[in-house]
């Protein structure tokens, strides 16, 4: 405790999204909290995007999920991918800000706690080995490990693997994104037996079209998963 106090005195904790001092590490300052689009109300049961209207007991779905078949059952998101949320995602993904994973996992745990079962296994969407080598870490694996700790469920960072290197999804149409991801993900042979008959919670940093998560979910079902849900740090705004 004394060491923590000394470190906080020498290196005062700052807001996750800016340089404003905060009470302890892992917090947002008041201004950034206000500017961070948390998803707290009614949201699509398939992809987590916020929807207008009061909370309802019955599941509701957005227009995209009414048109696009989702291979998973439920989807949850902690944030809308804009404003401070976008900066936090990009800092985690490209800025080596590993410290963002733990608070993001706490925010996400509040959204997806109701999906957890006794047999839940948490797994990240995988990166291709060459991309993992370039980036040095998988941000989705950081989120998955932190989420597993909060929810007290096991995690397997390499449950799935990319068996085909895909080009960037940026700039592609929704249809192009799904075509690009077709057959790109499979269960890792070393862990395939852990999937059979279980509930898999897939974790990613951002959902845009859902193509990558769809490929990962299909890989889980191909390996014998009983049920698949998805959880993302942020949900991108609907594509026009």
């Amino acid at each position: 405790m004394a060491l923590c106090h000394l470190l906080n005195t020498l290196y005062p904790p700052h807001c996750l999204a800016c340089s404003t001092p905060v009470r302890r590490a892992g917090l947002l300052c008041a201004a950034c909290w206000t500017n961070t689009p948390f998803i707290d109300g009614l949201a699509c049961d398939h992809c987590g995007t916020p929807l207008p209207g009061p909370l309802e007991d019955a599941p509701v779905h957005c227009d995209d999920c009414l048109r696009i078949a989702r291979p998973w059952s439920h989807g949850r998101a902690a944030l809308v991918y804009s404003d401070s949320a976008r900066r936090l995602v990009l800092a985690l993904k490209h800025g080596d800000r590993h410290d963002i994973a733990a608070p993001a996992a706490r925010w996400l745990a509040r959204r997806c706690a109701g999906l957890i079962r006794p047999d839940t296994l948490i797994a990240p969407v995988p990166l291709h080995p060459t991309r993992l080598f370039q980036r040095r870490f998988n941000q989705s694996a950081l989120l998955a490990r932190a989420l597993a700790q909060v929810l007290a469920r096991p995690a397997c960072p390499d449950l799935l693997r990319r068996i085909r290197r895909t080009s960037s999804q940026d700039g592609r149409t929704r249809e192009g994104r799904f075509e690009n991801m077709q057959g790109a993900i499979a269960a890792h042979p070393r862990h395939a037996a852990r999937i059979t008959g279980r509930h898999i919670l897939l974790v990613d940093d951002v959902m845009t079209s859902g193509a990558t998560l769809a490929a990962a979910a299909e890989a889980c079902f191909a390996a014998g998963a009983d049920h698949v849900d998805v959880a993302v740090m942020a949900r991108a705004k609907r594509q026009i």
Side-chain angles (χ1 to χ4, degrees), residues 133-178:
F133 177 79
Q134 293 167 353
R135 191 175 293 169
R136 306 188 311 280
F137 66 94
N138 179 358
Q139 72 280 356
S140 298
L142 296 178
L143 286 169
R145 181 174 61 188
L147 183 62
Q149 290 175 345
V150 176
L151 295 173
R153 298 307 308 147
C156 184
D158 58 344
L159 188 72
L160 304 175
R161 63 176 182 169
R162 296 261 187 160
I163 57 176
R164 178 172 60 82
R165 176 162 186 176
T166 58
S167 55
S168 173
Q169 295 280 65
D170 293 343
R172 292 178 180 271
T173 64
R174 180 185 287 111
E175 293 74 16
R177 285 171 176 259
F178 278 88

mmCIF file of all heavy atoms in Angstrom, residues 133-178:
data_model
loop_
_atom_site.group_PDB
_atom_site.id
_atom_site.type_symbol
_atom_site.label_atom_id
_atom_site.label_comp_id
_atom_site.label_asym_id
_atom_site.label_seq_id
_atom_site.Cartn_x
_atom_site.Cartn_y
_atom_site.Cartn_z
ATOM 1 N N PHE A 133 2.975 -10.456 -35.488
ATOM 2 C CA PHE A 133 4.409 -10.166 -35.394
ATOM 3 C C PHE A 133 4.670 -8.671 -35.572
ATOM 4 O O PHE A 133 5.480 -8.077 -34.854
ATOM 5 C CB PHE A 133 5.172 -10.969 -36.455
ATOM 6 C CG PHE A 133 6.646 -10.684 -36.473
ATOM 7 C CD1 PHE A 133 7.495 -11.255 -35.532
ATOM 8 C CD2 PHE A 133 7.195 -9.836 -37.434
ATOM 9 C CE1 PHE A 133 8.859 -10.992 -35.552
ATOM 10 C CE2 PHE A 133 8.553 -9.561 -37.453
ATOM 11 C CZ PHE A 133 9.392 -10.145 -36.506
ATOM 12 N N GLN A 134 3.978 -8.053 -36.506
ATOM 13 C CA GLN A 134 4.159 -6.625 -36.756
ATOM 14 C C GLN A 134 3.668 -5.779 -35.584
ATOM 15 O O GLN A 134 4.315 -4.816 -35.176
ATOM 16 C CB GLN A 134 3.427 -6.219 -38.035
ATOM 17 C CG GLN A 134 4.008 -6.817 -39.301
ATOM 18 C CD GLN A 134 3.088 -6.648 -40.495
ATOM 19 O OE1 GLN A 134 1.949 -6.202 -40.383
ATOM 20 N NE2 GLN A 134 3.580 -7.025 -41.675
ATOM 21 N N ARG A 135 2.515 -6.145 -35.018
ATOM 22 C CA ARG A 135 1.912 -5.346 -33.950
ATOM 23 C C ARG A 135 2.456 -5.723 -32.580
ATOM 24 O O ARG A 135 2.382 -4.948 -31.640
ATOM 25 C CB ARG A 135 0.393 -5.508 -33.989
ATOM 26 C CG ARG A 135 -0.358 -4.526 -33.114
ATOM 27 C CD ARG A 135 -1.850 -4.655 -33.300
ATOM 28 N NE ARG A 135 -2.269 -4.246 -34.631
ATOM 29 C CZ ARG A 135 -3.458 -4.449 -35.143
ATOM 30 N NH1 ARG A 135 -4.374 -5.095 -34.424
ATOM 31 N NH2 ARG A 135 -3.766 -4.044 -36.352
ATOM 32 N N ARG A 136 2.937 -6.975 -32.438
ATOM 33 C CA ARG A 136 3.531 -7.513 -31.207
ATOM 34 C C ARG A 136 2.497 -7.970 -30.189
ATOM 35 O O ARG A 136 2.852 -8.615 -29.204
ATOM 36 C CB ARG A 136 4.491 -6.506 -30.544
ATOM 37 C CG ARG A 136 5.584 -5.974 -31.439
ATOM 38 C CD ARG A 136 6.589 -5.163 -30.664
ATOM 39 N NE ARG A 136 5.989 -4.168 -29.807
ATOM 40 C CZ ARG A 136 5.531 -2.977 -30.218
ATOM 41 N NH1 ARG A 136 5.607 -2.654 -31.499
ATOM 42 N NH2 ARG A 136 5.020 -2.127 -29.363
ATOM 43 N N PHE A 137 1.242 -7.660 -30.369
ATOM 44 C CA PHE A 137 0.205 -8.120 -29.457
ATOM 45 C C PHE A 137 -1.137 -8.066 -30.171
ATOM 46 O O PHE A 137 -1.304 -7.380 -31.171
ATOM 47 C CB PHE A 137 0.152 -7.264 -28.181
ATOM 48 C CG PHE A 137 -0.287 -5.841 -28.437
ATOM 49 C CD1 PHE A 137 -1.627 -5.469 -28.306
ATOM 50 C CD2 PHE A 137 0.638 -4.868 -28.804
ATOM 51 C CE1 PHE A 137 -2.035 -4.161 -28.541
ATOM 52 C CE2 PHE A 137 0.238 -3.556 -29.041
ATOM 53 C CZ PHE A 137 -1.109 -3.211 -28.910
ATOM 54 N N ASN A 138 -2.087 -8.813 -29.625
ATOM 55 C CA ASN A 138 -3.452 -8.806 -30.143
ATOM 56 C C ASN A 138 -4.317 -8.059 -29.139
ATOM 57 O O ASN A 138 -4.532 -8.529 -28.015
ATOM 58 C CB ASN A 138 -3.955 -10.239 -30.333
ATOM 59 C CG ASN A 138 -5.394 -10.289 -30.844
ATOM 60 O OD1 ASN A 138 -6.043 -9.272 -31.036
ATOM 61 N ND2 ASN A 138 -5.901 -11.498 -31.059
ATOM 62 N N GLN A 139 -4.801 -6.885 -29.512
ATOM 63 C CA GLN A 139 -5.594 -6.076 -28.583
ATOM 64 C C GLN A 139 -6.856 -6.803 -28.135
ATOM 65 O O GLN A 139 -7.316 -6.633 -27.004
ATOM 66 C CB GLN A 139 -5.943 -4.717 -29.203
ATOM 67 C CG GLN A 139 -6.974 -4.735 -30.311
ATOM 68 C CD GLN A 139 -6.372 -5.162 -31.653
ATOM 69 O OE1 GLN A 139 -5.163 -5.383 -31.772
ATOM 70 N NE2 GLN A 139 -7.213 -5.252 -32.663
ATOM 71 N N SER A 140 -7.419 -7.640 -29.008
ATOM 72 C CA SER A 140 -8.607 -8.397 -28.632
ATOM 73 C C SER A 140 -8.277 -9.442 -27.572
ATOM 74 O O SER A 140 -9.103 -9.740 -26.705
ATOM 75 C CB SER A 140 -9.216 -9.072 -29.869
ATOM 76 O OG SER A 140 -9.621 -8.088 -30.809
ATOM 77 N N ALA A 141 -7.077 -9.995 -27.625
ATOM 78 C CA ALA A 141 -6.648 -10.953 -26.607
ATOM 79 C C ALA A 141 -6.464 -10.265 -25.258
ATOM 80 O O ALA A 141 -6.778 -10.838 -24.208
ATOM 81 C CB ALA A 141 -5.359 -11.638 -27.041
ATOM 82 N N LEU A 142 -5.958 -9.034 -25.266
ATOM 83 C CA LEU A 142 -5.838 -8.275 -24.020
ATOM 84 C C LEU A 142 -7.211 -8.053 -23.402
ATOM 85 O O LEU A 142 -7.405 -8.217 -22.191
ATOM 86 C CB LEU A 142 -5.165 -6.925 -24.285
ATOM 87 C CG LEU A 142 -3.719 -6.941 -24.781
ATOM 88 C CD1 LEU A 142 -3.240 -5.513 -25.035
ATOM 89 C CD2 LEU A 142 -2.809 -7.630 -23.770
ATOM 90 N N LEU A 143 -8.180 -7.674 -24.237
ATOM 91 C CA LEU A 143 -9.542 -7.456 -23.748
ATOM 92 C C LEU A 143 -10.156 -8.754 -23.237
ATOM 93 O O LEU A 143 -10.807 -8.771 -22.181
ATOM 94 C CB LEU A 143 -10.410 -6.883 -24.872
ATOM 95 C CG LEU A 143 -10.187 -5.425 -25.242
ATOM 96 C CD1 LEU A 143 -10.913 -5.093 -26.547
ATOM 97 C CD2 LEU A 143 -10.680 -4.510 -24.124
ATOM 98 N N ALA A 144 -9.955 -9.848 -23.978
ATOM 99 C CA ALA A 144 -10.528 -11.130 -23.588
ATOM 100 C C ALA A 144 -9.968 -11.597 -22.247
ATOM 101 O O ALA A 144 -10.716 -12.083 -21.379
ATOM 102 C CB ALA A 144 -10.263 -12.174 -24.670
ATOM 103 N N ARG A 145 -8.672 -11.464 -22.059
ATOM 104 C CA ARG A 145 -8.063 -11.891 -20.795
ATOM 105 C C ARG A 145 -8.580 -11.053 -19.627
ATOM 106 O O ARG A 145 -8.912 -11.583 -18.562
ATOM 107 C CB ARG A 145 -6.541 -11.776 -20.886
ATOM 108 C CG ARG A 145 -5.808 -12.230 -19.627
ATOM 109 C CD ARG A 145 -4.314 -12.225 -19.835
ATOM 110 N NE ARG A 145 -3.828 -10.882 -20.159
ATOM 111 C CZ ARG A 145 -2.579 -10.622 -20.537
ATOM 112 N NH1 ARG A 145 -1.716 -11.617 -20.684
ATOM 113 N NH2 ARG A 145 -2.198 -9.386 -20.793
ATOM 114 N N ALA A 146 -8.674 -9.732 -19.836
ATOM 115 C CA ALA A 146 -9.173 -8.859 -18.776
ATOM 116 C C ALA A 146 -10.646 -9.130 -18.480
ATOM 117 O O ALA A 146 -11.068 -9.142 -17.321
ATOM 118 C CB ALA A 146 -8.971 -7.394 -19.173
ATOM 119 N N LEU A 147 -11.436 -9.378 -19.517
ATOM 120 C CA LEU A 147 -12.854 -9.677 -19.328
ATOM 121 C C LEU A 147 -13.031 -10.996 -18.581
ATOM 122 O O LEU A 147 -13.904 -11.119 -17.710
ATOM 123 C CB LEU A 147 -13.555 -9.731 -20.681
ATOM 124 C CG LEU A 147 -15.071 -9.958 -20.667
ATOM 125 C CD1 LEU A 147 -15.782 -8.824 -19.936
ATOM 126 C CD2 LEU A 147 -15.609 -10.091 -22.085
ATOM 127 N N ALA A 148 -12.225 -11.972 -18.909
ATOM 128 C CA ALA A 148 -12.288 -13.266 -18.230
ATOM 129 C C ALA A 148 -11.996 -13.119 -16.743
ATOM 130 O O ALA A 148 -12.614 -13.779 -15.902
ATOM 131 C CB ALA A 148 -11.312 -14.243 -18.876
ATOM 132 N N GLN A 149 -11.059 -12.238 -16.393
ATOM 133 C CA GLN A 149 -10.740 -12.008 -14.986
ATOM 134 C C GLN A 149 -11.917 -11.375 -14.261
ATOM 135 O O GLN A 149 -12.254 -11.763 -13.135
ATOM 136 C CB GLN A 149 -9.499 -11.126 -14.877
ATOM 137 C CG GLN A 149 -8.218 -11.818 -15.317
ATOM 138 C CD GLN A 149 -7.020 -10.898 -15.326
ATOM 139 O OE1 GLN A 149 -7.152 -9.669 -15.280
ATOM 140 N NE2 GLN A 149 -5.827 -11.469 -15.384
ATOM 141 N N VAL A 150 -12.571 -10.397 -14.904
ATOM 142 C CA VAL A 150 -13.711 -9.725 -14.274
ATOM 143 C C VAL A 150 -14.878 -10.692 -14.092
ATOM 144 O O VAL A 150 -15.544 -10.697 -13.045
ATOM 145 C CB VAL A 150 -14.158 -8.511 -15.111
ATOM 146 C CG1 VAL A 150 -15.404 -7.868 -14.499
ATOM 147 C CG2 VAL A 150 -13.044 -7.480 -15.223
ATOM 148 N N LEU A 151 -15.126 -11.522 -15.104
ATOM 149 C CA LEU A 151 -16.273 -12.423 -15.082
ATOM 150 C C LEU A 151 -15.970 -13.773 -14.435
ATOM 151 O O LEU A 151 -16.866 -14.611 -14.303
ATOM 152 C CB LEU A 151 -16.778 -12.652 -16.511
ATOM 153 C CG LEU A 151 -17.336 -11.408 -17.217
ATOM 154 C CD1 LEU A 151 -17.640 -11.722 -18.672
ATOM 155 C CD2 LEU A 151 -18.582 -10.894 -16.509
ATOM 156 N N ALA A 152 -14.715 -13.978 -14.053
ATOM 157 C CA ALA A 152 -14.296 -15.227 -13.405
ATOM 158 C C ALA A 152 -14.605 -16.445 -14.264
ATOM 159 O O ALA A 152 -15.128 -17.460 -13.787
ATOM 160 C CB ALA A 152 -14.951 -15.358 -12.027
ATOM 161 N N ARG A 153 -14.281 -16.334 -15.546
ATOM 162 C CA ARG A 153 -14.438 -17.434 -16.484
ATOM 163 C C ARG A 153 -13.095 -17.675 -17.173
ATOM 164 O O ARG A 153 -12.268 -16.760 -17.284
ATOM 165 C CB ARG A 153 -15.514 -17.138 -17.543
ATOM 166 C CG ARG A 153 -16.925 -16.940 -17.007
ATOM 167 C CD ARG A 153 -17.402 -18.077 -16.130
ATOM 168 N NE ARG A 153 -17.242 -19.379 -16.781
ATOM 169 C CZ ARG A 153 -16.972 -20.498 -16.121
ATOM 170 N NH1 ARG A 153 -16.801 -20.487 -14.812
ATOM 171 N NH2 ARG A 153 -16.856 -21.639 -16.780
ATOM 172 N N PRO A 154 -12.855 -18.894 -17.679
ATOM 173 C CA PRO A 154 -11.580 -19.168 -18.352
ATOM 174 C C PRO A 154 -11.500 -18.480 -19.711
ATOM 175 O O PRO A 154 -12.520 -18.224 -20.359
ATOM 176 C CB PRO A 154 -11.588 -20.691 -18.502
ATOM 177 C CG PRO A 154 -13.039 -21.063 -18.514
ATOM 178 C CD PRO A 154 -13.720 -20.092 -17.581
ATOM 179 N N ALA A 155 -10.278 -18.192 -20.114
ATOM 180 C CA ALA A 155 -10.019 -17.612 -21.433
ATOM 181 C C ALA A 155 -8.974 -18.444 -22.149
ATOM 182 O O ALA A 155 -8.105 -19.051 -21.511
ATOM 183 C CB ALA A 155 -9.532 -16.171 -21.303
ATOM 184 N N CYS A 156 -9.068 -18.463 -23.471
ATOM 185 C CA CYS A 156 -8.074 -19.168 -24.285
ATOM 186 C C CYS A 156 -7.650 -18.209 -25.400
ATOM 187 O O CYS A 156 -8.406 -17.997 -26.356
ATOM 188 C CB CYS A 156 -8.642 -20.451 -24.859
ATOM 189 S SG CYS A 156 -7.425 -21.430 -25.787
ATOM 190 N N PRO A 157 -6.457 -17.600 -25.292
ATOM 191 C CA PRO A 157 -6.066 -16.566 -26.243
ATOM 192 C C PRO A 157 -5.863 -17.051 -27.670
ATOM 193 O O PRO A 157 -5.973 -16.264 -28.613
ATOM 194 C CB PRO A 157 -4.757 -16.025 -25.660
ATOM 195 C CG PRO A 157 -4.239 -17.128 -24.801
ATOM 196 C CD PRO A 157 -5.446 -17.811 -24.247
ATOM 197 N N ASP A 158 -5.558 -18.343 -27.846
ATOM 198 C CA ASP A 158 -5.354 -18.872 -29.192
ATOM 199 C C ASP A 158 -6.343 -19.987 -29.517
ATOM 200 O O ASP A 158 -6.010 -20.952 -30.213
ATOM 201 C CB ASP A 158 -3.911 -19.338 -29.392
ATOM 202 C CG ASP A 158 -3.495 -20.414 -28.385
ATOM 203 O OD1 ASP A 158 -4.203 -20.581 -27.369
ATOM 204 O OD2 ASP A 158 -2.469 -21.072 -28.609
ATOM 205 N N LEU A 159 -7.563 -19.853 -29.028
ATOM 206 C CA LEU A 159 -8.600 -20.840 -29.330
ATOM 207 C C LEU A 159 -8.851 -20.916 -30.833
ATOM 208 O O LEU A 159 -9.067 -21.985 -31.391
ATOM 209 C CB LEU A 159 -9.900 -20.482 -28.611
ATOM 210 C CG LEU A 159 -11.017 -21.523 -28.678
ATOM 211 C CD1 LEU A 159 -10.664 -22.721 -27.800
ATOM 212 C CD2 LEU A 159 -12.356 -20.920 -28.243
ATOM 213 N N LEU A 160 -8.797 -19.746 -31.490
ATOM 214 C CA LEU A 160 -8.980 -19.658 -32.933
ATOM 215 C C LEU A 160 -7.705 -19.139 -33.574
ATOM 216 O O LEU A 160 -6.872 -18.517 -32.912
ATOM 217 C CB LEU A 160 -10.142 -18.710 -33.264
ATOM 218 C CG LEU A 160 -11.503 -19.041 -32.634
ATOM 219 C CD1 LEU A 160 -12.509 -17.946 -32.967
ATOM 220 C CD2 LEU A 160 -12.008 -20.399 -33.092
ATOM 221 N N ARG A 161 -7.552 -19.374 -34.851
ATOM 222 C CA ARG A 161 -6.394 -18.850 -35.570
ATOM 223 C C ARG A 161 -6.805 -18.425 -36.974
ATOM 224 O O ARG A 161 -7.783 -18.937 -37.537
ATOM 225 C CB ARG A 161 -5.276 -19.888 -35.640
ATOM 226 C CG ARG A 161 -5.638 -21.148 -36.397
ATOM 227 C CD ARG A 161 -4.447 -22.081 -36.508
ATOM 228 N NE ARG A 161 -4.765 -23.274 -37.277
ATOM 229 C CZ ARG A 161 -3.856 -24.144 -37.704
ATOM 230 N NH1 ARG A 161 -2.581 -23.952 -37.435
ATOM 231 N NH2 ARG A 161 -4.218 -25.200 -38.409
ATOM 232 N N ARG A 162 -6.058 -17.487 -37.512
ATOM 233 C CA ARG A 162 -6.261 -17.056 -38.898
ATOM 234 C C ARG A 162 -5.505 -18.015 -39.794
ATOM 235 O O ARG A 162 -4.283 -18.149 -39.695
ATOM 236 C CB ARG A 162 -5.721 -15.642 -39.109
ATOM 237 C CG ARG A 162 -6.435 -14.577 -38.296
ATOM 238 C CD ARG A 162 -7.448 -13.851 -39.126
ATOM 239 N NE ARG A 162 -8.008 -12.724 -38.368
ATOM 240 C CZ ARG A 162 -8.614 -11.690 -38.898
ATOM 241 N NH1 ARG A 162 -8.732 -11.612 -40.227
ATOM 242 N NH2 ARG A 162 -9.098 -10.728 -38.152
ATOM 243 N N ILE A 163 -6.222 -18.691 -40.660
ATOM 244 C CA ILE A 163 -5.572 -19.643 -41.556
ATOM 245 C C ILE A 163 -5.318 -19.033 -42.930
ATOM 246 O O ILE A 163 -4.713 -19.668 -43.794
ATOM 247 C CB ILE A 163 -6.418 -20.921 -41.692
ATOM 248 C CG1 ILE A 163 -7.835 -20.600 -42.181
ATOM 249 C CG2 ILE A 163 -6.459 -21.663 -40.365
ATOM 250 C CD1 ILE A 163 -8.686 -21.821 -42.434
ATOM 251 N N ARG A 164 -5.793 -17.817 -43.115
ATOM 252 C CA ARG A 164 -5.552 -17.102 -44.372
ATOM 253 C C ARG A 164 -5.383 -15.630 -44.056
ATOM 254 O O ARG A 164 -6.175 -15.054 -43.331
ATOM 255 C CB ARG A 164 -6.730 -17.304 -45.337
ATOM 256 C CG ARG A 164 -6.588 -16.560 -46.651
ATOM 257 C CD ARG A 164 -7.695 -16.966 -47.627
ATOM 258 N NE ARG A 164 -9.028 -16.682 -47.134
ATOM 259 C CZ ARG A 164 -9.611 -15.477 -47.207
ATOM 260 N NH1 ARG A 164 -8.964 -14.446 -47.713
ATOM 261 N NH2 ARG A 164 -10.845 -15.295 -46.763
ATOM 262 N N ARG A 165 -4.302 -15.045 -44.566
ATOM 263 C CA ARG A 165 -4.097 -13.611 -44.329
ATOM 264 C C ARG A 165 -5.021 -12.823 -45.247
ATOM 265 O O ARG A 165 -4.987 -12.983 -46.468
ATOM 266 C CB ARG A 165 -2.650 -13.208 -44.563
ATOM 267 C CG ARG A 165 -2.475 -11.692 -44.400
ATOM 268 C CD ARG A 165 -1.073 -11.247 -44.200
ATOM 269 N NE ARG A 165 -1.042 -9.814 -43.914
ATOM 270 C CZ ARG A 165 0.044 -9.140 -43.614
ATOM 271 N NH1 ARG A 165 1.203 -9.764 -43.548
ATOM 272 N NH2 ARG A 165 -0.013 -7.853 -43.360
ATOM 273 N N THR A 166 -5.833 -11.973 -44.645
ATOM 274 C CA THR A 166 -6.766 -11.152 -45.409
ATOM 275 C C THR A 166 -6.213 -9.748 -45.556
ATOM 276 O O THR A 166 -5.447 -9.269 -44.721
ATOM 277 C CB THR A 166 -8.126 -11.091 -44.702
ATOM 278 O OG1 THR A 166 -7.940 -10.568 -43.378
ATOM 279 C CG2 THR A 166 -8.754 -12.474 -44.610
ATOM 280 N N SER A 167 -6.616 -9.074 -46.613
ATOM 281 C CA SER A 167 -6.253 -7.670 -46.770
ATOM 282 C C SER A 167 -7.124 -6.834 -45.854
ATOM 283 O O SER A 167 -8.118 -7.315 -45.284
ATOM 284 C CB SER A 167 -6.419 -7.243 -48.225
ATOM 285 O OG SER A 167 -7.737 -7.515 -48.680
ATOM 286 N N SER A 168 -6.791 -5.577 -45.695
ATOM 287 C CA SER A 168 -7.508 -4.692 -44.778
ATOM 288 C C SER A 168 -8.988 -4.601 -45.142
ATOM 289 O O SER A 168 -9.366 -4.600 -46.319
ATOM 290 C CB SER A 168 -6.874 -3.306 -44.796
ATOM 291 O OG SER A 168 -7.648 -2.394 -44.032
ATOM 292 N N GLN A 169 -9.810 -4.489 -44.113
ATOM 293 C CA GLN A 169 -11.243 -4.302 -44.314
ATOM 294 C C GLN A 169 -11.592 -2.839 -44.616
ATOM 295 O O GLN A 169 -12.696 -2.553 -45.092
ATOM 296 C CB GLN A 169 -12.012 -4.744 -43.054
ATOM 297 C CG GLN A 169 -11.906 -6.225 -42.726
ATOM 298 C CD GLN A 169 -12.833 -7.067 -43.570
ATOM 299 O OE1 GLN A 169 -12.691 -7.147 -44.797
ATOM 300 N NE2 GLN A 169 -13.785 -7.701 -42.926
ATOM 301 N N ASP A 170 -10.659 -1.935 -44.336
ATOM 302 C CA ASP A 170 -10.932 -0.507 -44.540
ATOM 303 C C ASP A 170 -11.275 -0.224 -45.999
ATOM 304 O O ASP A 170 -10.600 -0.694 -46.922
ATOM 305 C CB ASP A 170 -9.714 0.334 -44.140
ATOM 306 C CG ASP A 170 -9.447 0.263 -42.644
ATOM 307 O OD1 ASP A 170 -10.357 -0.156 -41.904
ATOM 308 O OD2 ASP A 170 -8.330 0.628 -42.231
ATOM 309 N N GLY A 171 -12.318 0.554 -46.199
ATOM 310 C CA GLY A 171 -12.705 0.966 -47.545
ATOM 311 C C GLY A 171 -13.560 -0.028 -48.287
ATOM 312 O O GLY A 171 -14.035 0.263 -49.396
ATOM 313 N N ARG A 172 -13.792 -1.203 -47.708
ATOM 314 C CA ARG A 172 -14.605 -2.211 -48.381
ATOM 315 C C ARG A 172 -16.087 -1.994 -48.076
ATOM 316 O O ARG A 172 -16.458 -1.493 -47.019
ATOM 317 C CB ARG A 172 -14.206 -3.621 -47.935
ATOM 318 C CG ARG A 172 -12.826 -4.070 -48.391
ATOM 319 C CD ARG A 172 -12.505 -5.462 -47.850
ATOM 320 N NE ARG A 172 -11.193 -5.910 -48.285
ATOM 321 C CZ ARG A 172 -10.959 -6.578 -49.407
ATOM 322 N NH1 ARG A 172 -11.976 -6.902 -50.193
ATOM 323 N NH2 ARG A 172 -9.736 -6.937 -49.737
ATOM 324 N N THR A 173 -16.922 -2.405 -49.004
ATOM 325 C CA THR A 173 -18.353 -2.406 -48.756
ATOM 326 C C THR A 173 -18.680 -3.499 -47.747
ATOM 327 O O THR A 173 -17.842 -4.357 -47.453
ATOM 328 C CB THR A 173 -19.144 -2.675 -50.048
ATOM 329 O OG1 THR A 173 -18.811 -4.003 -50.513
ATOM 330 C CG2 THR A 173 -18.815 -1.653 -51.133
ATOM 331 N N ARG A 174 -19.904 -3.482 -47.223
ATOM 332 C CA ARG A 174 -20.307 -4.525 -46.290
ATOM 333 C C ARG A 174 -20.156 -5.907 -46.937
ATOM 334 O O ARG A 174 -19.619 -6.836 -46.339
ATOM 335 C CB ARG A 174 -21.751 -4.308 -45.846
ATOM 336 C CG ARG A 174 -22.234 -5.366 -44.859
ATOM 337 C CD ARG A 174 -23.710 -5.207 -44.529
ATOM 338 N NE ARG A 174 -23.944 -4.069 -43.671
ATOM 339 C CZ ARG A 174 -24.570 -2.961 -44.045
ATOM 340 N NH1 ARG A 174 -25.005 -2.852 -45.281
ATOM 341 N NH2 ARG A 174 -24.761 -1.978 -43.212
ATOM 342 N N GLU A 175 -20.611 -6.028 -48.180
ATOM 343 C CA GLU A 175 -20.504 -7.316 -48.874
ATOM 344 C C GLU A 175 -19.051 -7.708 -49.075
ATOM 345 O O GLU A 175 -18.672 -8.877 -48.938
ATOM 346 C CB GLU A 175 -21.225 -7.250 -50.221
ATOM 347 C CG GLU A 175 -22.738 -7.092 -50.132
ATOM 348 C CD GLU A 175 -23.181 -5.685 -49.721
ATOM 349 O OE1 GLU A 175 -22.342 -4.756 -49.795
ATOM 350 O OE2 GLU A 175 -24.336 -5.527 -49.320
ATOM 351 N N GLY A 176 -18.204 -6.718 -49.386
ATOM 352 C CA GLY A 176 -16.792 -6.985 -49.581
ATOM 353 C C GLY A 176 -16.097 -7.447 -48.315
ATOM 354 O O GLY A 176 -15.194 -8.293 -48.352
ATOM 355 N N ARG A 177 -16.533 -6.916 -47.174
ATOM 356 C CA ARG A 177 -15.955 -7.321 -45.893
ATOM 357 C C ARG A 177 -16.255 -8.792 -45.601
ATOM 358 O O ARG A 177 -15.383 -9.544 -45.161
ATOM 359 C CB ARG A 177 -16.499 -6.438 -44.767
ATOM 360 C CG ARG A 177 -15.899 -5.035 -44.746
ATOM 361 C CD ARG A 177 -16.628 -4.130 -43.758
ATOM 362 N NE ARG A 177 -15.985 -2.828 -43.672
ATOM 363 C CZ ARG A 177 -15.172 -2.444 -42.691
ATOM 364 N NH1 ARG A 177 -14.901 -3.277 -41.702
ATOM 365 N NH2 ARG A 177 -14.622 -1.248 -42.689
ATOM 366 N N PHE A 178 -17.506 -9.208 -45.840
ATOM 367 C CA PHE A 178 -17.866 -10.602 -45.592
ATOM 368 C C PHE A 178 -17.130 -11.536 -46.558
ATOM 369 O O PHE A 178 -16.659 -12.608 -46.170
ATOM 370 C CB PHE A 178 -19.380 -10.782 -45.711
ATOM 371 C CG PHE A 178 -20.126 -10.381 -44.469
ATOM 372 C CD1 PHE A 178 -20.540 -9.069 -44.278
ATOM 373 C CD2 PHE A 178 -20.397 -11.306 -43.474
ATOM 374 C CE1 PHE A 178 -21.230 -8.690 -43.131
ATOM 375 C CE2 PHE A 178 -21.076 -10.943 -42.316
ATOM 376 C CZ PHE A 178 -21.492 -9.625 -42.148
#
